[in-house]
Amino acid sequence: EAGVAQSPRYKIIEKRQSVAFWCNPISGHATLYWYQQILGQGPKLLIQFQNNGVVDDSQLPKDRFSAERLKGVDSTLKIQPAKLEDSAVYLCASSRRGQADSPLHFGNGTRLTVT
Amino acid sequence: DAKTTQPNSMESNEEEPVHLPCNHSTISGTDYIHWYRQLPSQGPEYVIHGLTSNVNNRMASLAIAEDRKSSTLILHRATLRDAAVYYCILGDNDYKLSFGAGTTVTVRA
């Protein structure tokens, strides 16, 4: 099966600009996650979708970050305006059922550099 | 959130087994134990998961203590491609996977 697709692979922007990341999960996977991974740290969950509904966005900085999952398939994550501390790799993952025994499949991420 | 404790780093020689320990003393009865690994410049990759019984797959084995407060990921014959950061994570009913810093595994040729 095809894996989780993310684009772009790299992005460099200046602070206060906006940026958007795109994710296409594995076909048939109901649950989609966005993670932020700062250099040297483990991934941190930003938001979790079940189909097209938000399950958990408690760690999403909602004053600048937004995410949507239209029609329960593709998803976009947006940052507006970006800050220097947003420099990180943004990872998208999907799972078939979003339950404790259902493995996550990750994309290779988008590396964001904010200057 | 249930937490896990792993060593920061481990070294191994090629073709030797690697035993990666993980402590999770606050695990609840319904938490699954998951292991993922992350190679450089890639997203995390699922390795194995289990609940109570030991588990084997083509990548590794997972040995779970009887009291479930610790587990060990076993790579039977390490190769250079196994050099990565290995994460031990507890998956609860809400399936929120919280990643720690993991264990960086170095494999010597």
Side-chain angles (χ1 to χ4, degrees), chain A residues 9 33 35 37 40-43 45 48 56 91 95 98-109 111, chain B residues 1 30-32 34 36 38 41-46 49 87 91-101:
Chain A
R9 190 78 173 90
Y33 310 78
Y35 282 84
Q37 185 171 26
Q41 300 180 15
L45 179 65
Q48 177 184 348
D56 181 10
L91 295 160
S95 72
Q99 296 180 1
D101 61 346
S102 182
L104 265 61
H105 299 261
F106 283 84
N108 284 329
R111 181 177 298 277
Chain B
D1 291 343
T30 55
D31 287 344
Y32 278 78
H34 295 257
Y36 288 78
Q38 189 171 23
S41 300
Q42 294 187 23
E45 172 189 29
Y46 166 77
H49 76 280
Y87 298 99
D92 58 19
N93 283 334
D94 293 329
Y95 204 53
K96 292 188 183 66
L97 295 190
S98 298
F99 288 75

Side-chain angles (χ1 to χ4, degrees), chain A residues 3-104:
Chain A
V4 175
Q6 290 189 248
S7 67
R9 190 78 173 90
Y10 303 94
K11 190 74 176 179
I12 301 174
I13 61 172
E14 295 182 350
K15 59 184 178 183
R16 291 188 289 274
Q17 287 186 325
S18 63
V19 64
F21 313 125
W22 173 82
C23 173
N24 180 236
I26 292 174
S27 177
H29 279 197
T31 311
L32 186 146
Y33 310 78
W34 283 101
Y35 282 84
Q36 179 193 57
Q37 185 171 26
I38 293 172
L39 187 64
Q41 300 180 15
K44 169 190 166 185
L45 179 65
L46 292 177
I47 189 167
Q48 177 184 348
F49 292 93
Q50 183 72 19
N51 297 310
N52 60 352
V54 175
V55 174
D56 181 10
D57 63 357
S58 58
Q59 299 198 75
L60 188 73
K62 299 181 188 62
D63 57 335
R64 298 183 301 105
F65 286 64
S66 64
E68 61 181 5
R69 189 182 184 195
L70 297 176
K71 301 181 181 179
V73 182
D74 293 4
S75 178
T76 56
L77 176 69
K78 296 179 182 178
I79 306 175
Q80 183 180 8
K83 293 184 176 182
L84 294 177
E85 59 260 36
D86 297 332
S87 294
V89 175
Y90 290 84
L91 295 160
C92 179
S94 68
S95 72
R96 188 173 300 278
R97 297 182 295 123
Q99 296 180 1
D101 61 346
S102 182
L104 265 61

